[in-house]
Coordinates of all heavy atoms in Angstrom, one line a residue:
P1 N -5.0 5.1 8.9 CA -5.7 6.0 10.0 C -5.2 7.4 10.0 O -4.0 7.7 9.8 CB -5.2 5.2 11.3 CG -5.1 3.8 10.9 CD -4.5 3.9 9.5
G2 N -6.1 8.3 10.1 CA -5.8 9.7 10.2 C -5.8 10.4 8.8 O -5.7 11.6 8.7
Y3 N -6.1 9.6 7.7 CA -6.0 10.2 6.4 C -7.1 9.6 5.5 O -7.4 8.4 5.6 CB -4.7 9.9 5.7 CG -3.5 10.6 6.4 CD1 -2.8 9.9 7.5 CD2 -3.0 11.8 6.1 CE1 -1.7 10.4 8.1 CE2 -1.9 12.4 6.8 CZ -1.3 11.7 7.8 OH -0.2 12.3 8.4
F4 N -7.7 10.5 4.7 CA -8.5 10.0 3.6 C -7.6 9.5 2.4 O -6.4 9.9 2.4 CB -9.4 11.2 3.1 CG -10.6 11.4 4.0 CD1 -10.5 12.4 5.0 CD2 -11.7 10.7 3.9 CE1 -11.5 12.7 5.8 CE2 -12.8 11.0 4.8 CZ -12.7 12.0 5.7
P5 N -8.1 8.7 1.5 CA -7.3 8.2 0.4 C -6.7 9.3 -0.4 O -5.5 9.1 -0.8 CB -8.3 7.4 -0.4 CG -9.4 7.0 0.5 CD -9.5 8.2 1.5
G6 N -7.4 10.4 -0.6 CA -6.8 11.5 -1.5 C -5.6 12.1 -0.9 O -4.9 12.9 -1.6
S7 N -5.3 11.9 0.4 CA -4.1 12.5 0.9 C -2.8 11.7 0.5 O -1.7 12.3 0.6 CB -4.2 12.4 2.5 OG -5.2 13.2 3.0
A8 N -3.0 10.5 -0.1 CA -1.9 9.8 -0.6 C -0.7 9.7 0.4 O 0.4 10.0 0.2 CB -1.4 10.4 -1.9
A9 N -1.1 9.3 1.7 CA -0.2 9.5 2.8 C 0.6 8.2 3.2 O 1.4 8.3 4.1 CB -1.0 9.9 4.0
I10 N 0.4 7.1 2.5 CA 1.1 5.9 2.8 C 2.6 6.1 2.4 O 2.9 6.6 1.4 CB 0.5 4.7 2.1 CG1 -1.0 4.6 2.5 CG2 1.2 3.4 2.5 CD1 -1.8 3.5 1.7
E11 N 3.5 5.7 3.3 CA 4.9 5.9 3.1 C 5.6 4.7 2.7 O 5.1 3.5 2.7 CB 5.5 6.5 4.4 CG 4.9 7.8 4.8 CD 5.5 8.3 6.2 OE1 6.2 7.6 6.8 OE2 5.1 9.4 6.5
R12 N 6.8 4.8 2.2 CA 7.6 3.7 1.6 C 7.8 2.6 2.6 O 7.6 1.4 2.2 CB 9.0 4.3 1.2 CG 10.0 3.2 0.7 CD 9.5 2.4 -0.5 NE 10.4 1.3 -0.8 CZ 11.5 1.3 -1.5 NH1 11.9 2.5 -2.1 NH2 12.2 0.3 -1.7
A13 N 8.1 2.8 3.8 CA 8.3 1.8 4.8 C 7.0 0.9 5.0 O 7.1 -0.3 5.2 CB 8.8 2.3 6.1
E14 N 5.9 1.6 5.0 CA 4.6 0.9 5.1 C 4.4 0.0 3.8 O 4.0 -1.1 4.0 CB 3.5 1.9 5.2 CG 3.5 2.7 6.5 CD 2.6 3.9 6.6 OE1 2.7 4.7 5.7 OE2 1.8 3.9 7.6
Y15 N 4.6 0.6 2.6 CA 4.4 -0.2 1.4 C 5.4 -1.4 1.4 O 5.0 -2.5 1.1 CB 4.7 0.6 0.2 CG 3.6 1.5 -0.2 CD1 3.7 2.9 -0.4 CD2 2.3 1.0 -0.5 CE1 2.7 3.7 -0.8 CE2 1.2 1.8 -0.9 CZ 1.4 3.1 -1.0 OH 0.4 3.9 -1.5
D16 N 6.6 -1.2 1.9 CA 7.6 -2.3 1.9 C 7.1 -3.5 2.8 O 7.1 -4.6 2.5 CB 8.9 -1.9 2.4 CG 9.7 -1.1 1.4 OD1 9.5 -1.3 0.2 OD2 10.6 -0.2 1.8
R17 N 6.6 -3.1 4.0 CA 6.1 -4.0 4.9 C 4.8 -4.7 4.4 O 4.7 -6.0 4.5 CB 5.7 -3.3 6.2 CG 5.9 -4.0 7.5 CD 6.0 -3.1 8.7 NE 5.0 -2.1 8.7 CZ 5.4 -0.8 8.7 NH1 6.6 -0.4 8.7 NH2 4.4 0.2 8.8
W18 N 3.9 -4.0 3.8 CA 2.7 -4.5 3.4 C 2.9 -5.5 2.2 O 2.3 -6.6 2.1 CB 1.7 -3.4 3.0 CG 1.3 -2.5 4.1 CD1 1.7 -2.7 5.4 CD2 0.4 -1.4 4.1 NE1 1.1 -1.7 6.2 CE2 0.3 -0.9 5.4 CE3 -0.2 -0.8 3.0 CZ2 -0.4 0.2 5.7 CZ3 -1.0 0.4 3.3 CH2 -1.1 0.8 4.6
L19 N 3.7 -5.1 1.2 CA 3.9 -5.9 0.0 C 4.6 -7.2 0.4 O 4.4 -8.3 -0.2 CB 4.8 -5.2 -1.0 CG 4.0 -4.0 -1.7 CD1 5.0 -3.3 -2.6 CD2 2.8 -4.4 -2.4
E20 N 5.5 -7.2 1.4 CA 6.1 -8.4 1.9 C 5.1 -9.4 2.4 O 5.1 -10.6 2.1 CB 7.1 -8.1 3.0 CG 8.0 -9.2 3.5 CD 9.0 -9.7 2.4 OE1 9.4 -8.8 1.6 OE2 9.3 -10.9 2.4
H21 N 4.1 -8.9 3.2 CA 3.1 -9.7 3.7 C 2.1 -10.2 2.6 O 1.7 -11.4 2.6 CB 2.3 -9.0 4.8 CG 3.0 -8.7 6.1 ND1 3.7 -9.7 6.8 CD2 3.2 -7.6 6.8 CE1 4.2 -9.2 7.9 NE2 4.0 -7.9 7.9
I22 N 1.8 -9.3 1.7 CA 0.9 -9.7 0.6 C 1.5 -10.8 -0.2 O 0.9 -11.7 -0.6 CB 0.5 -8.4 -0.2 CG1 -0.4 -7.5 0.6 CG2 -0.2 -8.9 -1.5 CD1 -0.6 -6.1 -0.1
G23 N 2.8 -10.6 -0.5 CA 3.5 -11.6 -1.4 C 3.6 -12.9 -0.8 O 3.8 -13.9 -1.5
E24 N 3.4 -13.1 0.6 CA 3.4 -14.4 1.2 C 2.1 -15.2 1.0 O 2.1 -16.4 1.1 CB 3.7 -14.2 2.7 CG 5.1 -13.7 3.0 CD 5.3 -13.5 4.5 OE1 4.4 -13.7 5.2 OE2 6.4 -13.1 4.9
I25 N 1.0 -14.4 0.6 CA -0.3 -15.2 0.5 C -0.9 -15.0 -0.9 O -1.9 -15.6 -1.2 CB -1.3 -14.7 1.6 CG1 -1.6 -13.2 1.4 CG2 -0.7 -15.0 3.0 CD1 -2.8 -12.8 2.3
A26 N -0.3 -14.1 -1.7 CA -1.0 -13.8 -3.0 C 0.0 -13.6 -4.1 O 1.2 -13.5 -3.9 CB -1.8 -12.5 -2.8
N27 N -0.5 -13.6 -5.4 CA 0.4 -13.4 -6.5 C 0.0 -12.1 -7.2 O 0.7 -11.8 -8.2 CB 0.3 -14.6 -7.5 CG -1.0 -14.9 -8.0 OD1 -2.0 -14.2 -7.8 ND2 -1.2 -16.0 -8.8
V28 N -1.0 -11.4 -6.8 CA -1.4 -10.2 -7.5 C -1.9 -9.2 -6.4 O -2.5 -9.6 -5.5 CB -2.6 -10.4 -8.5 CG1 -3.2 -9.1 -9.0 CG2 -2.2 -11.3 -9.7
V29 N -1.4 -8.0 -6.6 CA -2.0 -6.8 -5.8 C -2.7 -5.9 -6.8 O -2.1 -5.6 -7.8 CB -0.8 -6.1 -5.0 CG1 0.3 -5.6 -5.9 CG2 -1.4 -5.0 -4.2
R30 N -3.9 -5.5 -6.4 CA -4.6 -4.6 -7.3 C -4.7 -3.2 -6.6 O -5.0 -3.1 -5.4 CB -6.0 -5.1 -7.5 CG -6.9 -4.2 -8.3 CD -8.4 -4.4 -8.1 NE -9.3 -3.4 -8.7 CZ -10.6 -3.4 -8.5 NH1 -11.2 -4.2 -7.7 NH2 -11.3 -2.4 -9.1
T31 N -4.5 -2.2 -7.4 CA -4.8 -0.8 -7.0 C -5.9 -0.2 -7.7 O -6.2 -0.6 -8.9 CB -3.5 0.0 -7.2 OG1 -3.3 0.1 -8.6 CG2 -2.3 -0.5 -6.5
Y32 N -6.6 0.7 -7.1 CA -7.8 1.3 -7.7 C -7.4 2.6 -8.5 O -8.2 3.1 -9.3 CB -8.8 1.7 -6.6 CG -9.4 0.5 -5.9 CD1 -8.8 0.0 -4.8 CD2 -10.5 -0.2 -6.4 CE1 -9.3 -1.1 -4.1 CE2 -11.0 -1.3 -5.8 CZ -10.4 -1.8 -4.6 OH -10.9 -2.9 -4.0
T33 N -6.3 3.1 -8.2 CA -5.9 4.4 -8.7 C -4.3 4.5 -8.7 O -3.7 3.5 -8.2 CB -6.5 5.5 -7.9 OG1 -6.3 6.8 -8.6 CG2 -6.0 5.6 -6.5
I34 N -3.8 5.6 -9.1 CA -2.4 5.8 -9.0 C -2.0 6.0 -7.6 O -2.5 7.0 -6.9 CB -1.9 7.0 -9.9 CG1 -2.2 6.7 -11.4 CG2 -0.4 7.3 -9.7 CD1 -2.0 7.9 -12.3
H35 N -1.1 5.2 -7.0 CA -0.6 5.4 -5.7 C 0.6 6.3 -5.7 O 1.1 6.7 -6.8 CB -0.2 4.0 -5.1 CG -1.3 3.3 -4.5 ND1 -1.3 2.9 -3.2 CD2 -2.5 2.8 -5.0 CE1 -2.5 2.3 -2.9 NE2 -3.2 2.2 -4.0
P36 N 1.1 6.7 -4.6 CA 2.3 7.6 -4.5 C 3.5 6.9 -5.1 O 3.5 5.6 -5.2 CB 2.5 7.8 -3.0 CG 1.2 7.6 -2.4 CD 0.5 6.5 -3.2
P37 N 4.5 7.6 -5.6 CA 5.7 7.0 -6.1 C 6.3 5.9 -5.2 O 6.9 4.9 -5.7 CB 6.7 8.1 -6.3 CG 5.8 9.3 -6.5 CD 4.6 9.1 -5.6

């Protein structure tokens, strides 16, 4: 929210949280493009 994809605005804490949840239900995460470091 508040950002278009090209802003690359997702932060480390958000990724940490999201990957933890994704890893509980999935074995693969797909990205469409290069994400931030």
Side-chain angles (χ1 to χ4, degrees):
Y3 296 90
F4 284 95
S7 297
I10 303 171
E11 299 177 355
R12 172 64 188 272
E14 293 168 306
Y15 280 125
D16 284 335
R17 214 164 39 242
W18 296 359
L19 292 177
E20 187 70 29
H21 290 309
I22 292 171
E24 291 176 359
I25 64 169
N27 61 5
V28 172
V29 58
R30 176 203 174 186
T31 64
Y32 296 90
T33 188
I34 297 170
H35 276 241

